[in-house]
Amino acid sequence: MAEPIVRIDSISKSFGAFKVLDGLSMQVMPGEKLALIGPSGSGKTTILRILMTLERIDSGHIEVEGEQLYHMSRGQALVPADERHLTKMRQKIGMVFQLFNLFPHKCVLDNVTLAPMLTKGVPKAEAHKRAMELLDMVGMADKARAMPAQLSGGQKQRVAIARALALSPKIMLFDEVTSALDPELVEEVLNVMRRLAEETDMTMLLVTHEMGFAHDFADRVLFFDRGRIVEEGKPEDIFRNPKQERTQSFLKKIIAAGHRV
């Protein structure tokens, strides 16, 4: 039996008086496709940001590939991780954000090549070759010299996916990557993610309100509410036969709003 690639143990996180994660524990297996669903403010995005070290935990422990994320060994003791350790651990994880976060003053190709060249010392020619392969994969090779302002939202998001893949992460995090897009552009981004899920063994965590996509994409679905996992299981079980009243109530509202599950 494989060891979990991510192990989260009793983590808590508060913003002021608001406790967004409350003693959360969960595991993710290598290659698993995990969908995190639930109401706004339930802690889903915070988990991704914590894994990406964009937010620090208040308590608990996280391991990635058997190595502590926020702590490191010093003799027999665990001590808070220094910046060097965090930088090393970040290279295992890629994240695609809701609002693209492309550099507006750099062309598409430079957006994709910058991080490998700066953080991994990849030579420019090699970085460009890999970037063009990734842009081709997401259907954006013909826009390599375009500036972000010349792209649609869906095109920007596909470039953002290529940029995250350029660092060859073991784990990819997707945070509501279609929620800022016009409805007709959503499908082009979901198609790229479907292809990633089908053609790679990359571990993927997805926060989404696209329940139909979560159903088709995920090996396992976790329903969050108030910083805790209320229910988890296979997509078919969660979406067709949820056991918890809170899950049932949430999905009824989603269906009433016209979303497919």
Side-chain angles (χ1 to χ4, degrees), residues 30-33 130 134 137 161 165 168-172 174 192-204 217 219:
E32 190 172 24
K33 312 298 186 267
R130 173 69 175 147
L134 291 169
M137 191 193 81
I161 292 171
L165 290 170
S168 303
K170 301 284 185 71
I171 302 162
M172 277 283 280
F174 297 92
V192 170
M193 294 169 64
R194 282 190 191 96
R195 189 172 164 197
L196 268 181
E198 290 165 4
E199 296 180 7
T200 76
D201 58 1
M202 191 180 296
T203 306
M204 298 166 71
F217 162 92
D219 300 313

Short mmCIF file of all heavy atoms in Angstrom, two decimals, residues 30-33 130 134 137 161 165 168-172 174 192-204 217 219:
data_model
loop_
_atom_site.label_atom_id
_atom_site.label_comp_id
_atom_site.label_asym_id
_atom_site.label_seq_id
_atom_site.Cartn_x
_atom_site.Cartn_y
_atom_site.Cartn_z
N PRO A 30 -0.94 9.26 -3.66
CA PRO A 30 -0.26 9.61 -4.92
C PRO A 30 -1.16 9.35 -6.12
O PRO A 30 -1.79 8.30 -6.23
CB PRO A 30 0.96 8.68 -4.94
CG PRO A 30 1.19 8.30 -3.52
CD PRO A 30 -0.17 8.28 -2.88
N GLY A 31 -1.25 10.34 -7.01
CA GLY A 31 -2.05 10.22 -8.22
C GLY A 31 -3.53 10.43 -8.03
O GLY A 31 -4.29 10.42 -8.99
N GLU A 32 -3.95 10.66 -6.79
CA GLU A 32 -5.39 10.82 -6.53
C GLU A 32 -5.89 12.16 -7.06
O GLU A 32 -5.20 13.17 -7.01
CB GLU A 32 -5.65 10.73 -5.02
CG GLU A 32 -7.13 10.64 -4.68
CD GLU A 32 -7.40 10.35 -3.20
OE1 GLU A 32 -6.53 10.65 -2.35
OE2 GLU A 32 -8.49 9.83 -2.91
N LYS A 33 -7.11 12.14 -7.57
CA LYS A 33 -7.80 13.36 -8.01
C LYS A 33 -8.89 13.65 -6.98
O LYS A 33 -9.85 12.90 -6.86
CB LYS A 33 -8.42 13.18 -9.40
CG LYS A 33 -7.48 12.55 -10.45
CD LYS A 33 -6.25 13.38 -10.74
CE LYS A 33 -5.41 12.80 -11.87
NZ LYS A 33 -4.35 11.93 -11.44
N ARG A 130 10.41 23.48 -23.33
CA ARG A 130 9.41 22.89 -22.45
C ARG A 130 8.13 23.74 -22.43
O ARG A 130 7.01 23.23 -22.46
CB ARG A 130 9.99 22.75 -21.04
CG ARG A 130 9.00 22.29 -19.97
CD ARG A 130 8.59 20.87 -20.15
NE ARG A 130 7.75 20.41 -19.05
CZ ARG A 130 6.77 19.52 -19.17
NH1 ARG A 130 6.51 18.97 -20.35
NH2 ARG A 130 6.06 19.14 -18.13
N LEU A 134 4.23 22.70 -23.40
CA LEU A 134 3.10 22.88 -22.49
C LEU A 134 2.02 23.78 -23.10
O LEU A 134 0.82 23.51 -22.97
CB LEU A 134 3.58 23.45 -21.15
CG LEU A 134 4.42 22.50 -20.31
CD1 LEU A 134 5.07 23.24 -19.15
CD2 LEU A 134 3.58 21.34 -19.78
N MET A 137 0.09 21.81 -25.43
CA MET A 137 -0.81 20.91 -24.73
C MET A 137 -2.11 21.60 -24.31
O MET A 137 -3.19 21.02 -24.36
CB MET A 137 -0.13 20.33 -23.50
CG MET A 137 -0.89 19.20 -22.87
SD MET A 137 -0.28 18.79 -21.23
CE MET A 137 -1.08 20.05 -20.27
N ILE A 161 -2.28 27.50 -16.30
CA ILE A 161 -2.08 26.06 -16.08
C ILE A 161 -0.73 25.62 -16.63
O ILE A 161 0.02 24.89 -15.98
CB ILE A 161 -3.24 25.25 -16.71
CG1 ILE A 161 -4.54 25.51 -15.95
CG2 ILE A 161 -2.92 23.75 -16.73
CD1 ILE A 161 -5.79 24.94 -16.62
N LEU A 165 2.53 24.01 -14.58
CA LEU A 165 3.10 22.73 -14.99
C LEU A 165 4.59 22.85 -15.33
O LEU A 165 5.31 21.85 -15.30
CB LEU A 165 2.35 22.18 -16.20
CG LEU A 165 0.92 21.69 -15.94
CD1 LEU A 165 0.23 21.40 -17.27
CD2 LEU A 165 0.91 20.45 -15.07
N SER A 168 7.14 21.25 -13.16
CA SER A 168 7.01 19.80 -12.99
C SER A 168 6.63 19.41 -11.55
O SER A 168 7.31 18.61 -10.91
CB SER A 168 8.31 19.09 -13.39
OG SER A 168 8.66 19.41 -14.71
N PRO A 169 5.54 19.98 -11.03
CA PRO A 169 5.16 19.67 -9.65
C PRO A 169 4.62 18.24 -9.52
O PRO A 169 4.12 17.67 -10.48
CB PRO A 169 4.06 20.69 -9.36
CG PRO A 169 3.45 20.96 -10.69
CD PRO A 169 4.58 20.88 -11.68
N LYS A 170 4.75 17.69 -8.33
CA LYS A 170 4.15 16.38 -8.04
C LYS A 170 2.65 16.54 -7.75
O LYS A 170 1.88 15.60 -7.94
CB LYS A 170 4.82 15.76 -6.80
CG LYS A 170 6.32 15.55 -6.92
CD LYS A 170 6.63 14.36 -7.79
CE LYS A 170 8.12 14.06 -7.83
NZ LYS A 170 8.63 13.53 -6.57
N ILE A 171 2.29 17.72 -7.25
CA ILE A 171 0.91 17.98 -6.81
C ILE A 171 0.44 19.27 -7.47
O ILE A 171 1.16 20.28 -7.44
CB ILE A 171 0.85 18.13 -5.28
CG1 ILE A 171 1.38 16.87 -4.59
CG2 ILE A 171 -0.57 18.43 -4.82
CD1 ILE A 171 1.75 17.09 -3.14
N MET A 172 -0.77 19.25 -8.05
CA MET A 172 -1.34 20.46 -8.64
C MET A 172 -2.60 20.85 -7.88
O MET A 172 -3.46 20.01 -7.61
CB MET A 172 -1.68 20.23 -10.11
CG MET A 172 -0.50 20.41 -11.05
SD MET A 172 -0.08 22.15 -11.36
CE MET A 172 -1.32 22.58 -12.58
N PHE A 174 -5.89 23.46 -7.83
CA PHE A 174 -6.73 24.30 -8.68
C PHE A 174 -7.77 24.98 -7.79
O PHE A 174 -8.62 24.32 -7.20
CB PHE A 174 -7.44 23.47 -9.75
CG PHE A 174 -6.52 22.79 -10.72
CD1 PHE A 174 -6.08 21.50 -10.49
CD2 PHE A 174 -6.09 23.44 -11.86
CE1 PHE A 174 -5.23 20.85 -11.38
CE2 PHE A 174 -5.24 22.81 -12.77
CZ PHE A 174 -4.81 21.52 -12.52
N VAL A 192 -8.93 21.15 -20.62
CA VAL A 192 -7.50 21.01 -20.33
C VAL A 192 -7.30 20.20 -19.04
O VAL A 192 -6.44 19.31 -18.96
CB VAL A 192 -6.83 22.40 -20.19
CG1 VAL A 192 -5.42 22.27 -19.64
CG2 VAL A 192 -6.80 23.11 -21.54
N MET A 193 -8.12 20.48 -18.03
CA MET A 193 -8.00 19.77 -16.76
C MET A 193 -8.40 18.30 -16.90
O MET A 193 -7.79 17.42 -16.28
CB MET A 193 -8.83 20.47 -15.70
CG MET A 193 -8.27 21.86 -15.37
SD MET A 193 -9.37 22.84 -14.35
CE MET A 193 -9.39 21.87 -12.86
N ARG A 194 -9.42 18.03 -17.72
CA ARG A 194 -9.80 16.64 -17.98
C ARG A 194 -8.63 15.88 -18.60
O ARG A 194 -8.34 14.74 -18.22
CB ARG A 194 -10.98 16.58 -18.96
CG ARG A 194 -12.33 16.87 -18.34
CD ARG A 194 -13.47 16.57 -19.30
NE ARG A 194 -14.72 17.09 -18.76
CZ ARG A 194 -15.25 18.27 -19.07
NH1 ARG A 194 -14.65 19.05 -19.97
NH2 ARG A 194 -16.37 18.66 -18.51
N ARG A 195 -7.98 16.54 -19.55
CA ARG A 195 -6.86 15.89 -20.23
C ARG A 195 -5.71 15.61 -19.25
O ARG A 195 -5.10 14.54 -19.27
CB ARG A 195 -6.38 16.78 -21.38
CG ARG A 195 -5.39 16.11 -22.29
CD ARG A 195 -5.09 16.94 -23.52
NE ARG A 195 -3.87 16.44 -24.15
CZ ARG A 195 -3.17 17.13 -25.02
NH1 ARG A 195 -3.56 18.33 -25.39
NH2 ARG A 195 -2.09 16.62 -25.55
N LEU A 196 -5.43 16.59 -18.38
CA LEU A 196 -4.40 16.39 -17.36
C LEU A 196 -4.74 15.20 -16.47
O LEU A 196 -3.87 14.39 -16.13
CB LEU A 196 -4.30 17.64 -16.48
CG LEU A 196 -3.30 18.73 -16.85
CD1 LEU A 196 -3.37 19.84 -15.82
CD2 LEU A 196 -1.89 18.16 -16.93
N ALA A 197 -6.01 15.13 -16.05
CA ALA A 197 -6.43 14.06 -15.15
C ALA A 197 -6.32 12.69 -15.82
O ALA A 197 -5.91 11.71 -15.20
CB ALA A 197 -7.86 14.30 -14.68
N GLU A 198 -6.65 12.65 -17.11
CA GLU A 198 -6.66 11.37 -17.83
C GLU A 198 -5.26 10.92 -18.25
O GLU A 198 -4.97 9.73 -18.27
CB GLU A 198 -7.55 11.49 -19.08
CG GLU A 198 -9.04 11.60 -18.76
CD GLU A 198 -9.85 12.07 -19.96
OE1 GLU A 198 -9.27 12.24 -21.06
OE2 GLU A 198 -11.08 12.26 -19.80
N GLU A 199 -4.39 11.89 -18.58
CA GLU A 199 -3.12 11.54 -19.23
C GLU A 199 -1.92 11.59 -18.29
O GLU A 199 -0.83 11.21 -18.70
CB GLU A 199 -2.88 12.48 -20.42
CG GLU A 199 -3.92 12.34 -21.52
CD GLU A 199 -3.66 13.27 -22.70
OE1 GLU A 199 -2.60 13.93 -22.73
OE2 GLU A 199 -4.53 13.33 -23.59
N THR A 200 -2.09 12.05 -17.06
CA THR A 200 -0.95 12.12 -16.15
C THR A 200 -1.29 11.40 -14.84
O THR A 200 -2.47 11.19 -14.53
CB THR A 200 -0.55 13.57 -15.82
OG1 THR A 200 -1.51 14.12 -14.88
CG2 THR A 200 -0.51 14.44 -17.05
N ASP A 201 -0.25 11.04 -14.10
CA ASP A 201 -0.46 10.45 -12.78
C ASP A 201 -0.24 11.49 -11.68
O ASP A 201 0.00 11.16 -10.53
CB ASP A 201 0.46 9.24 -12.57
CG ASP A 201 1.94 9.61 -12.71
OD1 ASP A 201 2.25 10.80 -12.93
OD2 ASP A 201 2.78 8.70 -12.56
N MET A 202 -0.35 12.76 -12.06
CA MET A 202 -0.16 13.84 -11.11
C MET A 202 -1.28 13.85 -10.06
O MET A 202 -2.43 13.60 -10.38
CB MET A 202 -0.16 15.17 -11.88
CG MET A 202 0.27 16.37 -11.09
SD MET A 202 0.20 17.84 -12.16
CE MET A 202 1.42 17.43 -13.38
N THR A 203 -0.92 14.10 -8.82
CA THR A 203 -1.90 14.28 -7.77
C THR A 203 -2.55 15.65 -7.95
O THR A 203 -1.85 16.64 -8.15
CB THR A 203 -1.22 14.20 -6.39
OG1 THR A 203 -0.49 12.96 -6.31
CG2 THR A 203 -2.23 14.27 -5.26
N MET A 204 -3.88 15.71 -7.89
CA MET A 204 -4.58 16.96 -8.17
C MET A 204 -5.64 17.21 -7.11
O MET A 204 -6.44 16.31 -6.79
CB MET A 204 -5.20 16.92 -9.57
CG MET A 204 -4.17 16.77 -10.67
SD MET A 204 -4.86 16.31 -12.31
CE MET A 204 -5.69 17.81 -12.78
N PHE A 217 -14.49 14.26 -12.65
CA PHE A 217 -13.04 14.40 -12.49
C PHE A 217 -12.48 13.60 -11.32
O PHE A 217 -11.42 12.99 -11.41
CB PHE A 217 -12.74 15.90 -12.29
CG PHE A 217 -11.40 16.24 -11.71
CD1 PHE A 217 -10.32 16.49 -12.53
CD2 PHE A 217 -11.23 16.36 -10.33
CE1 PHE A 217 -9.08 16.84 -12.00
CE2 PHE A 217 -10.00 16.70 -9.79
CZ PHE A 217 -8.92 16.94 -10.64
N ASP A 219 -11.61 11.18 -8.01
CA ASP A 219 -11.65 9.84 -7.43
C ASP A 219 -12.40 9.87 -6.10
O ASP A 219 -13.04 8.89 -5.71
CB ASP A 219 -10.23 9.32 -7.16
CG ASP A 219 -9.39 9.25 -8.42
OD1 ASP A 219 -9.90 8.73 -9.43
OD2 ASP A 219 -8.24 9.73 -8.40
#
